[in-house]
Amino acid sequence: MEAGLHDRLHHTPSDAPTGIVHLGLGAFFRAHGAIYVDQAMQAGGGDWGIIGVSLKSPGTRDRLRPQGWAYTAVELAPDGERPQVVTILRDVLVAPEDPQAVLDAMADPAIRIVSLTVTEKGYCHEPSSGRLNRDHPDIRHDLDDPLPRSAPGFLVRALELRRAAGVAPFTVLCCDNLPENGHVLRGVVLELAGLIDPELADWIGAEGRFPSTMVDRIVPATSPEDLDQVARLTGLRDEAPVMHEPFRQWVVEDDFVGGDRPDLGTVGVQLVADVTPYEHMKLRMLNGTHSSLAYLGYLGGHQTIAETVGDPVFSAFVRKLWRNEIIPALTPPPGEDLAAYADALHDRYANPAIRHRTWQIAMDGSQKLPQRILGTIAEGRAAGRAVPGLTLAVAAWMRYVSGVDLAGAAIEVKDPMADRLAALWRDDPAETVAGFLALEQVFPAALRADAGFARDLTTALTALCDKGAAQAAADA
Ligand code: CS2
């Protein structure tokens, strides 16, 4: 064991000042944004140390604190593992324990960026429309109580403190897999602020910046076996490592308050004027097929994405999805070849070193399907293009959230709408489909009103339940 790694892991050496508060300190951010910022600081200095905030539980803070907030990030390539130690975190706060401490950190003039990875459901919006869900219990709480619970609540209350103190707003940097994520978050924040104080909303609207971003790196949840693997690899017991694939991409709209940001361009971040084509490409080609493979793969008995695309039926299925259903609806971003992008995705999925569970990706489908799959289906149908594979994927989601797999075994469904979704299952597939298509929060109006889609979905659901996931995918 080299002494340097041990020293860095247990005694954080850098005392560079903080400039970023990050909400949602999950594995993804620690394996993606945090590494980019760490490298940008190593390359060019700056005062962009990060204060991480866990919005729910203290686990990550408790594991990182004895390590001086440092952790190992392990790149898992098919030909071996490469660990590095990341020392960009300066502190970790746990919002439910002390929301005031989080607000104080966000209101500090030294902080110029608040970034977020709080997952789709953390924005408390309606996935089909992107609007704030005013009935969300956390939003109802945050309207009355200046100590917030929700991510939008923290943003609004911290901006309120900055305005009162005469401090410029921070840039809000959304790093979740939502379409036009900065734009959607801006809308949610302005709506919530408007309900609290319309003048505050005007100020945020005029002075605030919410650049959209496209983020990409496959980062499965860290498992207990991963901790052992890291210990074997580095000779050190790290209680909070992250495991990630080699590939990474971050495309960021270059629109920051006062132009103030880390020098991300030097470490490979693409700074562009319009992120939309990149977002569409990534959400529909990667996340859309990820979710499709998660539901069908799970119902077909596969534990991971690598296992699923290792099955020739699902490998052919996903290639057909890209070629016939997804790529025809996309405008490629400048310089991107979508067929090559699809081939590269297949290689990434097949990486045997990454154990990305179908069950993990299947989580929160009600929040993910609109931007990943339903938009492509709606556009395909409007253009008269057949979309049988994606329709089958939606049918597989419906079966999955019923809570019972095709062999009759229980599924542990994780979704904010889980109870409502499970209650929609009927013995008659047409009735099940009718119940699901009435969900305004999930299905866009064009699909809810499309009788042909209801018929195709019923046929797909029937095929799935009669023939099983693999045969239905082979026939789609
Ligand atoms: C995955 C994503 O869990 C999921 O829903 O589709 O986390 C995916 O791995 C990342 O977006 C890849 O960039």
Side-chain angles (χ1 to χ4, degrees):
M1 182 63 260
E2 40 169 318
L5 182 61
H6 183 275
D7 289 342
R8 291 186 73 194
L9 189 54
H10 289 275
H11 310 278
T12 307
S14 169
D15 56 358
T18 51
I20 298 175
V21 168
H22 182 80
L23 305 183
L25 195 61
F28 178 77
F29 176 73
R30 294 197 290 122
H32 184 267
I35 295 181
Y36 276 108
V37 174
D38 198 18
Q39 291 175 345
M41 296 247 296
Q42 280 171 30
D47 47 1
W48 297 103
I50 299 173
I51 299 175
V53 177
S54 292
L55 287 171
K56 299 226 158 13
S57 52
T60 303
R61 189 261 329 261
D62 294 347
R63 286 188 288 274
L64 284 172
R65 184 155 49 193
Q67 307 179 178
W69 313 122
Y71 59 91
T72 316
V74 184
E75 179 178 298
L76 300 171
D79 64 349
E81 302 115 336
R82 280 179 282 277
Q84 66 171 310
V85 176
V86 184
T87 58
I88 190 71
L89 290 177
R90 295 287 167 275
D91 197 1
V92 179
L93 306 173
V94 178
E97 284 179 9
D98 192 351
Q100 188 62 52
V102 176
L103 289 177
D104 290 345
M106 294 169 77
D108 181 343
I111 298 299
R112 285 98 74 217
I113 295 177
V114 173
S115 51
L116 302 93
T117 48
V118 297
T119 79
E120 294 85 348
K121 63 178 177 286
Y123 294 94
C124 308
H125 70 307
E126 208 183 66
S128 62
S129 69
R131 303 267 321 261
L132 179 72
N133 174 4
R134 296 183 184 193
D135 294 328
H136 193 294
D138 289 351
I139 295 299
R140 286 219 300 267
H141 170 273
D142 291 357
L143 279 170
D144 295 332
D145 191 331
L147 291 177
R149 287 187 185 149
S150 72
F154 275 104
L155 293 171
V156 169
R157 294 295 182 180
L159 288 165
E160 187 177 34
L161 291 174
R162 290 175 83 106
R163 177 168 176 255
V167 175
F170 40 72
T171 296
V172 180
L173 191 62
C174 179
C175 300
D176 273 297
N177 288 313
L178 301 173
E180 299 181 89
N181 55 9
H183 180 79
V184 166
L185 180 51
R186 180 176 188 272
V188 164
V189 164
L190 290 185
E191 191 171 338
L192 180 58
L195 294 171
I196 292 170
D197 172 1
E199 285 183 14
L200 173 64
D202 290 345
W203 179 75
I204 299 172
E207 307 286 328
R209 292 291 178 272
F210 297 77
S212 284
T213 69
M214 179 271 251
V215 293
D216 190 7
R217 173 165 262 181
I218 291 175
V219 185
T222 306
S223 69
E225 298 79 54
D226 294 333
L227 269 56
D228 297 337
Q229 189 184 348
V230 172
R232 275 196 306 275
L233 195 62
T234 64
L236 277 179
R237 188 80 197 166
D238 183 338
E239 296 300 331
V242 289
M243 320 296 283
H244 60 81
E245 65 169 341
F247 181 89
R248 65 175 185 174
Q249 190 174 12
W250 197 5
V251 188
V252 177
E253 209 167 80
D254 200 3
D255 183 23
F256 288 72
V257 176
D260 202 9
R261 58 164 170 77
D263 195 358
L264 296 170
T266 54
V267 290
V269 176
Q270 294 159 266
L271 294 148
V272 302
D274 182 12
V275 174
T276 319
Y278 296 92
E279 269 178 348
H280 271 134
M281 172 180 78
K282 194 262 171 173
L283 284 173
R284 292 177 172 202
M285 290 193 62
L286 192 160
N287 299 108
T289 57
H290 238 187
S291 289
S292 302
L293 291 170
Y295 298 117
L296 286 162
Y298 185 98
L299 294 175
H302 293 305
Q303 292 263 326
T304 66
I305 290 294
E307 221 182 81
T308 308
V309 296
D311 178 335
V313 167
F314 290 110
S315 169
F317 174 78
V318 71
R319 288 193 188 282
K320 236 165 50 179
L321 283 186
W322 283 316
R323 192 176 55 242
N324 298 346
E325 304 186 27
I326 302 177
I327 291 179
L330 286 173
T331 308
E336 289 281 354
D337 171 345
L338 296 181
Y341 185 81
D343 286 341
L345 284 181
H346 196 283
D347 288 348
R348 291 169 63 193
Y349 290 178
N351 180 348
I354 297 276
R355 283 192 54 77
H356 204 180
R357 293 176 65 196
T358 46
W359 177 83
Q360 189 193 345
I361 299 164
M363 241 180 255
D364 295 341
S366 66
Q367 315 294 302
K368 293 174 173 174
L369 254 53
Q371 60 273 16
R372 294 181 175 209
I373 294 179
L374 301 178
T376 313
I377 293 182
E379 285 172 28
R381 295 192 65 88
R385 206 168 32 240
V387 281
L390 291 173
T391 305
L392 178 65
V394 177
W397 168 67
M398 289 164 41
R399 175 69 204 206
Y400 183 92
V401 296
S402 77
V404 181
D405 73 14
L406 295 168
I411 303 174
E412 192 193 348
V413 177
K414 296 268 190 208
D415 192 295
M417 292 176 69
D419 291 345
R420 255 186 95 182
L421 297 174
L424 294 173
W425 188 261
R426 299 281 178 279
D427 288 336
D428 176 7
E431 280 179 31
T432 306
V433 165
F436 272 87
L437 285 182
L439 291 171
E440 290 177 20
Q441 303 92 322
V442 178
F443 289 92
L447 290 183
R448 275 185 282 124
D450 182 342
F453 180 56
R455 272 195 304 276
D456 291 352
L457 200 48
T458 305
T459 307
L461 186 57
T462 307
L464 176 71
C465 297
D466 289 353
K467 303 193 248 181
Q471 193 57 50
D475 294 346

